[in-house]
Amino acid sequence: MTEVATRPAMPRESDWSAAAAAIRELAPTGRVLLICHVNPDGDALGSMLGFALGLRRFIEVAGARRRRPGGSAPALQATVPGEFEVPEPFAELPGVDLLVPEDEAYEDPDLVIVFDVAAESRLGALVNRLSLARETIVLDHHASNTGFGSIQLVDPQAAATSVVAEQLLARLDVPLDAAIAECLYVALATDTGSFRFDMTTPGVHEMAARLIATGIRPGEISRRIFDTRPFGAMKLFAEVLARAALDPTAAGGKGMVWTYATLDDLRRHGQRPYVMDALIDPVRTVAEADVAVLVKQVDEAEWAVSLRSKGAVDVSRVALAMGGGGHRLAAGFTGHGTPGDVVVAVREQLDRFLI
Ligand code: AMP
Ligand code: MN
Ligand code: MN
């Protein structure tokens, strides 16, 4: 058995109906707080905002039926742990008007729904909302999901959390519109590497077809999300890529390529931290290495580490061993010390988890 011991099964029918029942019961009149993971990527924000737009619609319809007092607006918020900064590529996503900073998020929500969060540590200071809510629904697709929350919709076979979000909206009889579809499409395209990775199943393309059928523009969306960055970011990328090192003996001879980016690099090029999210992609193209590592500074001696594998190593096991998580071929953790310290630790773990 090479599977991660914590790997959850697919959601059962009883999980789906429990989630739908909790939403039908609590959302029309209660306070609903949606949360995604810290440093949100396209799946975190896209699945959360797409679901938020659908849920707002659901509440308006259900609330009207239940004669919500005074016809007041739905008590629905979406939030992100940590600093309130929507990365520029996502700043125009439909539904961003529902976002509030974490310190304005309901203190005592009735219902919490979390998106793309594999472990409670990825909720930062908002983790306390889990115990305050009457129900917590977890929508996720990480095999490393730790099983927190009162209702778990965790499907490790789903290519993105937005796959789970679309299914739950369907269970609530919320039809897709272009705004919902744009968010779910961004999430699906992000986590499948623009429909290139192995989990790009017929089901993924069928979902993409449903989303595109609402009238969204995939070319325009992809250019905005993947193919647009400031001039300074390009210069930053050039510098960080120029210092990459190749270690052909790592990972049992399968090879590792790694580089690092510091806060000073960001400052010199006038860039925000999220621009570094795309930096792992050119690093992982290196033919001589199965494993790619990008070490990104977040504080004096604290680093966000991105791991990618072409297939020889289950990097989620490396990440888990280092206190993080993720997927077999894409994972991450928080490292400490210098970039060299972090890479030595990764190298030590790599040989243990060859597939
Ligand atoms: P990234 O390299 O940041 O794009 O992340 C790749 C994958 O690893 C994503 O599925 C993340 O959810 C997961 N991941 C990254 N960092 C962490 C962490 N510190 N703890 C748990 N999972 C992580
Ligand atoms: Mn994510
Ligand atoms: Mn995801």
Side-chain angles (χ1 to χ4, degrees):
M1 293 295 286
T2 54
E3 291 197 337
V4 178
T6 53
R7 168 163 289 194
M10 282 179 60
R12 291 161 302 189
E13 182 54 38
S14 56
D15 300 320
W16 289 109
S17 38
I23 290 170
R24 287 183 199 283
E25 162 70 19
L26 297 172
T29 52
R31 283 174 304 272
V32 186
L33 179 62
L34 312 188
I35 316 174
C36 67
H37 65 70
V38 66
N39 302 327
D41 52 20
D43 189 26
L45 277 171
S47 62
M48 177 171 75
L49 294 178
F51 192 83
L53 290 167
L55 187 58
R56 180 161 68 183
R57 210 170 204 225
F58 172 85
I59 294 171
E60 279 161 2
V61 172
R65 217 183 293 126
R66 284 212 209 164
R67 294 204 176 78
R68 199 182 171 79
S72 54
L76 174 64
Q77 293 180 332
T79 192
V80 177
E83 196 184 339
F84 187 64
E85 180 181 18
V86 182
E88 186 59 34
F90 307 127
E92 287 174 36
L93 272 185
V96 286
D97 56 299
L98 285 163
L99 283 173
V100 298
E102 68 170 1
D103 56 8
E104 287 174 26
Y106 299 128
E107 290 287 344
D108 51 351
D110 299 287
L111 175 62
V112 166
I113 311 179
V114 306
F115 295 83
D116 206 37
V117 174
E120 286 163 289
S121 59
R122 304 272 284 158
L123 289 168
L126 290 164
V127 70
N128 68 349
R129 303 304 199 283
L130 301 187
S131 47
L132 296 169
R134 285 167 61 189
E135 296 279 8
T136 299
I137 306 175
V138 174
L139 274 65
D140 189 32
H141 67 129
H142 290 92
S144 64
N145 188 288
T146 57
F148 66 97
S150 58
I151 301 171
Q152 289 143 26
L153 299 178
V154 181
D155 183 356
Q157 271 145 51
T161 295
S162 68
V163 173
V164 182
E166 193 213 13
Q167 285 178 44
L168 188 54
L169 287 175
R171 296 236 170 197
L172 295 167
D173 299 314
V174 176
L176 293 175
D177 60 22
I180 298 171
E182 177 169 338
C183 293
L184 299 184
Y185 186 87
V186 164
L188 192 62
T190 299
D191 269 23
T192 57
S194 291
F195 307 96
R196 285 174 301 168
F197 299 158
D198 266 346
M199 71 280 222
T200 310
T201 57
V204 163
H205 279 293
E206 282 156 15
M207 175 170 165
R210 287 192 294 280
L211 300 175
I212 294 169
T214 64
I216 61 171
R217 304 271 308 274
E220 196 272 314
I221 294 170
S222 298
R223 192 163 52 250
R224 184 156 33 92
I225 301 296
F226 304 115
D227 296 337
T228 304
R229 60 182 61 94
F231 184 64
M234 185 186 71
K235 304 287 276 184
L236 168 72
F237 278 31
E239 208 173 296
V240 172
L241 294 176
R243 67 169 79 113
L246 180 65
D247 182 349
T249 62
K254 302 290 182 186
M256 172 182 83
V257 58
W258 71 278
T259 189
Y260 65 94
T262 65
L263 292 174
D264 187 55
D265 295 328
L266 283 177
R267 190 189 50 72
R268 275 184 294 104
H269 292 288
Q271 296 304 305
R272 306 293 304 148
Y274 63 78
V275 305
M276 295 195 291
D277 291 350
L279 243 174
I280 188 67
D281 289 320
V283 181
R284 71 182 172 80
T285 60
V286 171
E288 294 88 343
D290 183 82
V291 176
V293 184
L294 175 62
V295 184
K296 298 169 282 188
Q297 189 171 29
V298 286
D299 214 331
E300 181 63 27
E302 190 177 313
W303 307 81
V305 185
S306 289
L307 303 173
R308 299 292 186 271
S309 167
K310 296 198 181 93
V313 181
D314 181 348
V315 286
S316 75
R317 304 187 78 179
V318 174
L320 272 174
M322 305 291 293
H327 309 282
R328 218 163 53 85
L329 304 183
F333 67 93
T334 301
H336 302 279
T338 66
D341 297 336
V342 173
V343 169
V344 166
V346 169
R347 224 199 111 110
E348 275 171 21
Q349 295 294 336
L350 280 176
D351 292 337
R352 297 176 55 202
F353 298 118
L354 290 174
I355 291 171

